[in-house]
Amino acid sequence: MSSDEIRLVSDKRTEFGKGAARKLRRAEKVPAVLYGHGEAPIHLALPFHDTFQALKNPNALLTIAVDGEGDQLALAKDVQRDPIKPIIEHVDLVIVKRGEKVTVEVPVHVEGDAAPETVVTLDAQTLEIEADVTNLPEGLTVSVEGLEVGTQVLASQVEMPAGATLVSDPELLVVNITQQISAEELEAELAEAEAEAGIEHDESDAEAAEAAEGESSEGGEESSEQE
């Protein structure tokens, strides 16, 4: 097993359903199912802490120790998480073999600083790639160092790790460099959008006081002219 692989010791599950799953989670175990390569599905319970740490990298290569079945290499196919709590509710694991290539989604990261007064937008958060199962990258990096307004980085321009090939559409927009909008322009655009939507704002106390002061000043001028 390489240093990049993670070994999880599992127990076989014999009870199913929501009640059994809750019982497992109280015991700090994660319900899981292991399948693929023509093997019958095996229902497992994984150690919560080790599984949680391992799945911080969604493409981590896992060695699952199955009681009575030996070790199986696997990738997490589907991870169901609690929407609020840091809890993994269920994991689907797919069996893989050394030497085979698989298609996975890999997160894209941006590094460097673009030209001054620009905005860097990451349009594609992930890209699909094909790579050897024992050499899956944790992420892909796009450098925007010094890039000027109008620059667009397409999927085909993202550097692939050794042995990996792009599966996503080569023309997919990954990074877009646009002109930074000034505060005045942003305020004007917002006011225009609100006007088109028919949104009216109540006059603020400061604006009311300023308007009253202006009217008072105008009244004073008229009085002076009449005298």
Side-chain angles (χ1 to χ4, degrees):
M1 183 171 68
S2 79
S3 58
D4 294 328
E5 294 168 25
I6 301 164
R7 191 169 189 267
L8 299 175
V9 179
S10 68
D11 301 317
K12 283 189 177 180
R13 284 191 292 142
T14 55
E15 297 180 352
F16 307 97
K18 291 183 178 179
R22 281 194 295 268
K23 184 178 177 182
L24 273 179
R25 287 192 282 270
R26 282 197 297 270
E28 297 190 345
K29 300 281 187 178
V30 178
V33 61
L34 176 70
Y35 59 90
H37 275 276
E39 301 285 342
I42 306 172
H43 297 275
L44 305 171
L46 303 174
F48 171 77
H49 179 74
D50 291 346
T51 304
F52 188 87
Q53 291 297 115
L55 295 181
K56 285 183 177 180
N57 171 13
N59 295 320
L61 182 59
L62 308 173
T63 297
I64 308 297
V66 183
D67 184 31
E69 305 280 344
D71 288 355
Q72 289 276 21
L73 279 184
L75 292 175
K77 182 73 172 178
D78 181 54
V79 181
Q80 297 174 24
R81 301 177 186 270
D82 186 282
I84 300 172
K85 302 174 186 176
I87 294 174
I88 297 174
E89 297 185 331
H90 190 274
V91 182
D92 281 11
L93 300 166
V94 61
I95 296 170
V96 293
K97 302 293 184 184
R98 293 186 186 280
E100 77 171 296
K101 290 196 170 186
V102 293
T103 298
V104 293
E105 283 195 354
V106 180
V108 179
H109 306 287
V110 172
E111 67 174 14
D113 297 313
E117 299 183 358
T118 59
V119 174
V120 177
T121 303
L122 183 61
D123 276 68
Q125 303 287 332
T126 62
L127 288 176
E128 271 196 328
I129 68 166
E130 184 184 67
D132 190 291
V133 72
T134 59
N135 193 28
L136 298 176
E138 287 193 31
L140 301 170
T141 302
V142 177
S143 174
V144 296
E145 187 66 38
L147 295 186
E148 300 287 345
V149 172
T151 304
Q152 294 187 328
V153 180
L154 305 180
S156 60
Q157 297 170 300
V158 177
E159 185 176 352
M160 293 289 115
T165 55
L166 179 68
V167 175
S168 294
D169 181 356
E171 297 300 310
L172 178 67
L173 178 62
V174 179
V175 176
N176 194 21
I177 312 295
T178 55
Q179 179 67 51
Q180 188 178 60
I181 300 176
S182 67
E184 292 79 8
E185 289 173 322
L186 185 60
E187 190 174 330
E189 284 189 12
L190 180 59
E192 184 179 344
E194 289 179 343
E196 289 178 0
I199 300 173
E200 295 182 0
H201 292 280
D202 293 334
E203 192 175 45
S204 69
D205 291 342
E207 290 171 335
E210 187 177 334
E213 186 179 336
E215 289 175 4
S216 174
S217 174
E218 289 174 5
E221 290 176 1
E222 288 177 4
S223 175
S224 298
E225 288 174 1
Q226 287 172 2
E227 292 175 358

